[in-house]
Amino acid sequence: MSGPTDTASHLRHVVEAGQFALTAETTPRPSTDIGQALARVLPLKGLADAVNVTDGAGAKAHLSSLVVAGAMAEAGIAPILQFTCRDRNRIALQGDILGAAALGIGNVLCLSGDPVEVGDEKDAKPVFDLDSVGLVTLIHRMGLEGKLSSGREINGPPQLFIGVADSPIDPQPGWRPEGLLRKLDAGGQFVQTQYCFDMAVCRRYLAGLADHGVTERAAVLIGIGPLASARQARWMDENLPGVNVPAGLIARLEAADDERTEGRRICAELLQQLREIPHIGGAHLMAPGQEAGIAEVIAASGILLTRE
């Protein structure tokens, strides 16, 4: 990535070239120090094709995601700016969408947002003027039609690569990914999923998506991450809806002298296994506060060396 234009369009180019895309994630903190926010994500430069900047993750306030994403773009790190529907009405959303494009941010991820009840501002009033499908529709039309939702003309319509979210499941007979299809019909162009550590489930999920034409329409990036300990793995298995951490992985962590190192080794192995699964578009690596660890995993996996 050699300049602002390359940074903004890099992920789109990787996806459209049919390469195995690698994205990661950073969560801003309640701070006014943009230098610290950039320092945490710099290890991912040149390794991740793009890095998500979460938007009020856990329903908690933090340094503006738009500000962090803009600073990342300036530093040559392609951001994926997450937008949640929880905190803004369509007026504020459109203003931030225009702001993102003005700052050279080329990618967005449209989400509903965690409920305020799970955060530390339980008296906050959620907005939800739009749902995630409505937000995808809004961004898509702003770029395609060059107009705000009110009909006013946009000077320089935002041309954003639009991401949507999904949760991998083990498809049952008759299953159809209705929610994901609605997001793609609205204008979604790539998909990032919740964690999936079970490669057998992942294969069946991607095969099911392929049966419904999803993987021909959008790259699907499967969520994984380095497990810090057996305790964390058990907590995720028991408390994150739809997330299954296989018993064999937990046993490996329990038997390791250094659980964090073993967790990164496991993640690199899973990346290599994901690379061989039919219909996959890439991987999305998540681990709060472990940006440097994710960079180590990507480097250790050797995935980037397989690209032509």
Side-chain angles (χ1 to χ4, degrees):
M1 292 179 275
S2 60
T5 300
D6 292 337
T7 300
S9 60
H10 178 72
L11 178 62
R12 187 194 295 263
H13 287 163
V14 168
V15 166
E16 291 179 349
Q19 295 178 324
F20 188 85
L22 290 167
T23 58
E25 190 167 281
T26 189
T27 298
R29 298 177 183 177
S31 168
T32 58
D33 191 336
I34 191 64
Q36 285 186 357
L38 274 178
R40 284 193 296 273
V41 79
L42 275 174
L44 291 162
K45 185 175 182 178
L47 291 172
D49 294 308
V51 180
N52 288 41
V53 185
T54 62
D55 180 23
K60 295 179 180 179
H62 56 58
L63 176 60
S64 165
S65 300
L66 181 61
V67 169
V68 174
M72 286 168 53
E74 181 70 20
I77 305 167
I80 300 173
L81 180 59
Q82 295 189 183
F83 277 107
T84 64
C85 301
R86 181 192 59 227
D87 304 325
R88 308 172 186 84
N89 64 15
R90 68 193 68 193
I91 299 171
L93 284 167
Q94 288 175 102
D96 283 350
I97 292 162
L98 296 177
L103 290 171
I105 298 165
N107 317 291
V108 295
L109 181 72
C110 301
L111 302 167
S112 295
D114 297 319
V116 295
E117 292 81 8
V118 307
D120 55 4
E121 301 276 359
K122 300 187 188 303
D123 292 331
K125 291 182 170 56
V127 180
F128 293 114
D129 184 20
L130 301 173
D131 61 13
S132 59
V133 175
L135 178 55
V136 172
T137 301
L138 176 68
I139 298 174
H140 177 66
R141 287 182 176 172
M142 288 174 69
L144 183 66
E145 300 172 1
K147 296 179 180 180
L148 298 172
S149 60
S150 66
R152 286 193 294 139
E153 298 285 338
I154 298 171
N155 180 17
Q159 302 300 316
L160 299 171
F161 195 38
I162 304 172
V164 299
D166 197 41
S167 294
I169 66 164
D170 199 349
Q172 301 302 304
W175 172 77
R176 180 177 169 83
E178 298 286 0
L180 183 53
L181 287 169
R182 284 196 296 272
K183 294 175 185 178
L184 298 185
D185 289 342
Q189 296 164 291
F190 70 96
V191 182
Q192 292 178 317
T193 81
Q194 175 60 283
Y195 292 108
C196 188
F197 294 99
D198 189 322
M199 295 298 101
V201 169
C202 186
R203 284 180 177 273
R204 293 191 291 268
Y205 166 69
L206 285 164
L209 293 182
D211 287 343
H212 293 285
V214 169
T215 55
E216 292 183 2
R217 299 175 60 184
V220 179
L221 281 60
I222 298 294
I224 59 170
L227 298 162
S229 65
R231 178 181 179 183
Q232 182 200 46
R234 283 192 296 270
W235 184 90
M236 292 171 67
D237 185 63
E238 296 168 1
N239 294 281
L240 292 183
V243 175
N244 169 45
V245 182
L249 297 186
I250 297 175
R252 277 186 61 177
L253 290 166
E254 289 176 329
D257 292 331
D258 185 330
E259 293 184 53
R260 184 177 293 272
T261 297
E262 184 67 13
R264 292 177 182 176
R265 184 178 296 116
I266 289 170
C267 191
E269 293 172 7
L270 292 178
L271 259 183
Q272 293 165 344
Q273 293 174 38
L274 282 172
R275 180 69 179 84
E276 303 304 319
I277 296 178
H279 312 298
I280 195 164
H284 178 51
L285 289 94
M286 300 172 282
Q290 293 193 55
E291 291 89 345
I294 289 174
E296 290 181 17
V297 167
I298 294 173
S301 73
I303 294 292
L304 294 177
L305 300 177
T306 67
R307 291 185 179 173
E308 298 179 359

